[in-house]
């Protein structure tokens, strides 16, 4: 049995914190300065965390390696299990050409890339976050933006920055329910409190996306639509999280924000120079900008290069499988394509099926049946107690194989196969192709989660959190930073809440702050670390064909992460004072 030590280095919390932060520092330097591949940077940082755990804390070698293995397992299930199966469904739509139908449907809403970026990366991305989370919206929205003419690096950047405000309520509010579990605080109180913080971000994120896409000129020309989308999302997120249901928050907010913008575009259109946003070498056709000489990008590298889906849409018909689609090299062919209502329905069907499957899974009788086979077991050989002598819950591994979001996505994928008319053999090929394409991202995610578990099990995380809690009343300003660090390392607001949720409550009690406010700040601050987490960077880079350039993405989004974090820190600080204390849930 290993008992955690709070200040192992010279008995100093400050010096111990500096050493405990070494794995994180190494990770960020390797990504942002050295520009190392994410999977390699993650493995090196994992090794550093193990060395610190063994030689500084000191943690037995066996315990350190076992905690790493548990973290790697958690990285695959449930996190990667969700991402892989969500992208599998997307890949099948690419194979059949229905992804192109969906793209054309979005493109016909507006031929302005700035508006397309807001609808796809923000609203549609928020819907994907609500249903699956864990990197899925970044992967799918990035590819969709490239299909509309965005350069790969810009598409990935926009998708990463957009994946902020919806994250706390992602995957049917799993981060919030996890936070309630680890803190013992009421779920509704936490949902309401987070719903009074993240909507402030939601108002401005669409405007920032436009700024990234087209600079200040773009903001001047599109601000009414972008602001409307952000305000509708924010108001809905606040209302649903406070008065309806945490799991439904992002689903309703995403649909209403997209619907509001689509309706607004019927009476308003942004002004801009005609050539302003067409990428070099691209052709503007039928309400969309199509990159010249390329078909719709795909996460699958071995699909036919010619054509990416005609209007037939079936597997082996006139879709992408046989290479006769007309949306590939000849960009102008889009103008001749008129998708039938049936094909448009099939293009949207996978997402409607996902919504239906997840909604049914929440029906009490069905949910009870799904959870009846859930197994929670103690990770073999790993026994840890906290500095106070209490047994750690870290070695408890929950294997909810049937109730997991990833498994529900498998069910949705199987239901999708006959609807989009893809042959079972091709569906199976798409599944294994998804694993091959995501291999670097899989290694990255599992390595970083292993790192997080080593830091948590050895006590490095507790050392850092306790040192920050020593700031006293000013801890309210630093509280979101803890969540930000947690998500930056683990790539998951759920994991960050697991790591720091309880610590936030203890620190709040010590300094006389609201426990609900501080716990919620962990989740709200955490969403801003999502865009710089190695897992998300790896998934985004893999999705747009830029594996190995995660460092370039990191530098593009890091400043926005800090800017949003500063705003959230200020909001939480003001909520801890009489100025905004009226916003705090009692």
């Amino acid at each position: 049995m290993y008992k955690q030590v709070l200040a192992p280095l010279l008995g100093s919390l400050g010096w111990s914190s500096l050493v405990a932060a070494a794995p994180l520092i190494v990770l960020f330097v390797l990504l942002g300065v050295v520009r190392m591949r994410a999977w390699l940077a993650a493995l090196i940082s994992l090794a550093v965390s193990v060395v610190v755990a063994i030689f500084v804390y000191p943690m037995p070698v066996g315990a350190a390696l076992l905690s790493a293995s548990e973290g790697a397992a958690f990285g695959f299930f449930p996190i990667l299990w969700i991402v892989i199966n969500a992208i599998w469904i997307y890949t099948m739509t690419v194979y059949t050409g229905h992804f192109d139908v969906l793209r054309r449907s979005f493109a016909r809403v507006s031929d302005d890339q700035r508006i397309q970026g807001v609808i796809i990366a923000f609203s549609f991305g928020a819907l994907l976050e609500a249903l699956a989370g864990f990197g899925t919206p970044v992967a799918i929205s990035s590819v969709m933006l490239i299909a509309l003419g965005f350069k790969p690096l810009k598409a990935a950047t926009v998708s990463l920055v957009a994946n902020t405000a919806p994250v706390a309520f992602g995957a049917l509010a799993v981060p919030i329910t996890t936070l309630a579990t680890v803190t013992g605080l009421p779920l509704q109180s936490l949902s309401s409190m987070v719903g009074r913080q993240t909507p402030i971000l939601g108002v401005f994120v669409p405007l920032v996306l436009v700024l990234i896409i087209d600079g200040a000129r773009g903001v001047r020309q599109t601000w009414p639509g972008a602001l409307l989308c952000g305000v509708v999302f924010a108001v809905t997120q606040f209302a649903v999280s406070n008065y309806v249901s945490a799991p439904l928050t992002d689903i309703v907010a995403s649909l209403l924000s997209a619907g509001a913008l689509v309706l607004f575009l019927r009476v308003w259109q942004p002004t801009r120079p005609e050539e302003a946003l067409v990428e070099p070498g691209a052709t503007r056709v039928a309400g969309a900008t199509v990159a010249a000489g390329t078909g719709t990008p795909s996460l699958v590298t071995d699909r036919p290069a010619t054509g990416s889906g005609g209007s037939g849409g079936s597997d082996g018909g006139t879709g992408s499988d046989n290479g006769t689609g007309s949306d590939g090299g000849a960009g102008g062919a889009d103008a001749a394509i008129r998708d039938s209502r049936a094909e448009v329905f099939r293009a949207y069907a996978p997402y409607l099926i996902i919504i239906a499957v997840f909604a049914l899974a929440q029906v009490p009788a069905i949910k009870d049946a799904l959870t009846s086979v859930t197994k929670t077991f103690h990770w073999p050989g790993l026994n840890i107690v906290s500095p106070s002598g209490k047994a750690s819950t870290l070695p408890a591994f929950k294997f909810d194989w049937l109730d997991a979001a990833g498994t529900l996505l498998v069910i949705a994928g199987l239901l999708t196969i006959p609807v989009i008319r893809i042959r079972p053999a091709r569906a199976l090929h798409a599944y294994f192709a998804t694993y091959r394409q995501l291999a670097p991202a899989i290694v990255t995610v599992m390595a970083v989660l292993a790192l997080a578990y080593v830091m948590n099990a050895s006590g490095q995380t507790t050392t850092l959190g306790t040192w920050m809690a020593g700031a006293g009343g000013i801890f309210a300003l630093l509280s979101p930073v803890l969540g930000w660090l947690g998500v930056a390392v683990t790539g998951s607001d759920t994991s960050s809440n697991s790591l720091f949720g309880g610590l936030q409550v203890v620190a709040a009690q010590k300094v006389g702050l609201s426990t609900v406010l501080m716990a919620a700040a962990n989740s709200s601050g955490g969403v801003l670390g999502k865009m710089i987490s190695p897992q998300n960077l790896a998934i985004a880079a893999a999705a747009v064909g830029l594996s190995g350039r995660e460092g370039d993405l990191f530098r593009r989004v890091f400043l926005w992460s800090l800017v949003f974090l500063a705003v959230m820190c200020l909001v939480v600080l003001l909520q801890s004072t009489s100025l905004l204390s009226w916003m705090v849930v009692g």
Side-chain angles (χ1 to χ4, degrees):
M1 181 173 292
Y2 167 67
K3 183 176 182 180
Q4 295 175 336
V5 181
L6 192 61
L9 189 61
L10 305 176
S12 168
L13 188 60
W15 284 111
S16 298
S17 298
L18 183 61
V19 176
L24 307 182
I25 296 172
V26 169
L27 181 61
F28 291 142
V29 170
L30 291 180
L31 281 176
V33 180
V34 182
R35 304 187 186 185
M36 185 177 290
R37 290 178 179 270
W39 66 268
L40 183 56
L43 288 175
I44 293 174
S45 301
L46 169 60
V48 173
S49 69
V50 171
V51 169
V52 171
I54 295 173
F55 293 102
V56 177
Y57 270 75
M59 188 179 195
V61 175
L65 296 179
L66 283 171
S67 62
S69 67
E70 184 186 6
F74 181 78
F76 186 85
F77 186 97
I79 296 177
L80 284 167
W81 185 236
I82 295 172
V83 176
I84 291 168
N85 292 312
I87 294 180
W88 168 54
I89 295 174
Y90 150 77
T91 304
M92 288 193 294
T93 67
V94 172
Y95 272 32
T96 61
H98 288 99
F99 176 80
D100 293 301
V101 178
L102 184 67
R103 172 181 60 78
R104 288 191 290 269
S105 176
F106 276 114
R108 290 186 180 107
V109 173
S110 173
D111 65 349
D112 190 307
Q113 283 192 341
R114 300 164 298 188
I115 299 299
Q116 293 169 348
V118 171
I119 293 177
I120 293 173
F122 184 70
S123 295
F124 186 60
L127 178 61
L128 295 174
E129 179 67 36
L131 297 174
F134 298 106
T136 304
V138 170
I140 295 179
S141 59
S142 293
V143 177
M144 190 173 289
L145 289 177
I146 294 178
L148 292 171
F150 283 71
K151 290 182 178 179
L153 201 58
K154 180 174 287 186
T157 301
V158 169
S159 298
L160 284 166
V161 174
N163 193 218
T164 48
V167 170
F169 295 97
L172 297 176
V174 168
I176 304 296
T177 55
T178 299
L179 186 62
T181 301
V182 300
T183 61
L185 297 173
L187 172 63
Q188 186 54 50
S189 296
L190 291 171
S191 173
S192 299
M193 192 64 246
V194 174
R196 301 178 189 194
Q197 294 171 338
T198 56
I200 297 173
L201 299 173
V203 172
F204 299 103
V205 169
L207 293 169
V208 171
L209 299 183
V210 171
L211 183 63
I212 293 173
I213 295 170
D214 192 38
R217 176 192 62 185
V219 175
R220 290 195 302 270
Q221 295 173 345
T222 64
W223 70 265
L227 186 61
L228 173 69
C229 183
V231 169
V232 170
F233 182 90
V235 171
T236 306
Q237 193 179 54
F238 162 75
V240 177
S241 64
N242 276 262
Y243 306 113
V244 183
S245 166
L248 294 177
T249 297
D250 278 350
I251 295 177
V252 178
S254 61
L255 293 175
L256 289 185
S257 64
L261 182 53
V262 170
L263 292 176
F264 187 53
L265 288 171
R266 295 189 175 186
V267 297
W268 168 88
Q269 288 293 328
T271 57
R272 57 176 171 78
E274 184 59 28
E275 72 283 357
L277 291 174
V278 180
E279 300 286 4
T283 304
R284 182 171 294 282
V285 290
T289 300
V290 180
T294 60
T296 301
S298 170
L299 291 176
V300 184
T301 57
D302 59 349
R303 65 184 292 262
T306 58
S308 55
S311 58
S314 62
D315 185 55
T318 57
S320 63
D321 270 354
N322 60 8
T324 60
S326 56
D327 194 32
D334 246 4
I337 297 177
R338 292 294 181 267
D339 301 304
S340 68
R341 290 184 178 179
E343 286 303 310
V344 172
F345 171 77
R346 290 193 186 97
Y348 283 92
Y351 305 100
L352 297 175
I353 291 172
I354 292 173
I355 293 174
V357 168
F358 275 84
L360 288 173
Q362 302 308 307
V363 175
I366 298 177
K367 189 170 183 63
D368 289 343
L370 294 174
T371 56
S372 64
V373 294
T374 296
K375 301 293 183 183
T376 300
F377 60 91
H378 190 94
W379 198 256
L382 188 60
N383 298 289
I384 303 169
V385 295
S386 67
S388 62
K390 294 182 179 179
S392 171
T393 59
L394 186 69
F397 192 91
K398 183 180 181 182
F399 187 53
D400 52 346
W401 63 274
L402 192 54
D403 186 47
T407 304
L408 295 180
L409 286 170
V410 172
I411 296 172
L414 294 174
L415 294 174
T416 296
I417 289 175
V419 174
I420 64 175
R421 300 177 180 177
I422 184 173
R423 294 190 303 271
R426 291 295 283 166
L428 186 62
H429 178 272
Y431 191 74
F432 289 114
T434 302
Y435 275 89
R436 290 195 302 271
Q437 183 65 24
L438 290 179
I442 290 172
V443 174
T444 302
V445 172
M446 294 180 70
V448 173
L449 263 296
L451 178 153
Y453 266 64
V454 171
M455 291 186 65
N456 196 34
S458 64
Q460 296 171 58
T461 298
T462 304
T463 298
L464 286 171
T466 305
W467 174 72
M468 295 182 68
I474 202 67
F475 178 70
L477 185 66
L478 300 176
S479 178
V481 179
L482 262 182
W484 177 79
L485 283 172
V487 176
V489 174
T490 66
S492 163
D493 201 35
T494 300
S495 298
S496 177
N497 287 343
S498 297
L499 291 174
F500 296 132
L503 183 61
Q504 294 272 15
V505 170
V506 172
Q509 292 170 339
K510 288 182 177 180
V511 298
L513 295 170
S514 166
T515 55
V516 172
L517 174 61
M518 293 299 99
N522 192 84
S523 192
S524 299
V527 306
L528 306 174
K530 187 87 168 178
M531 67 180 82
I532 62 170
S533 68
Q535 300 93 308
N536 246 24
L537 291 172
I539 290 170
V544 300
L546 294 177
S547 291
R549 295 187 60 186
E550 293 86 358
D552 293 335
L553 277 176
F554 178 81
R555 285 187 296 278
R556 287 200 171 206
V557 300
F558 185 65
L559 180 60
W560 287 115
S561 181
L562 290 182
V563 169
F564 283 135
L565 177 62
V567 172
M568 184 55 63
C569 287
L570 180 60
V571 168
V572 173
L573 177 63
L574 293 177
Q575 288 178 334
S576 70
T577 68
S578 58
L579 290 175
L580 294 182
S581 59
W582 52 272
M583 296 179 66
V584 178
V585 178

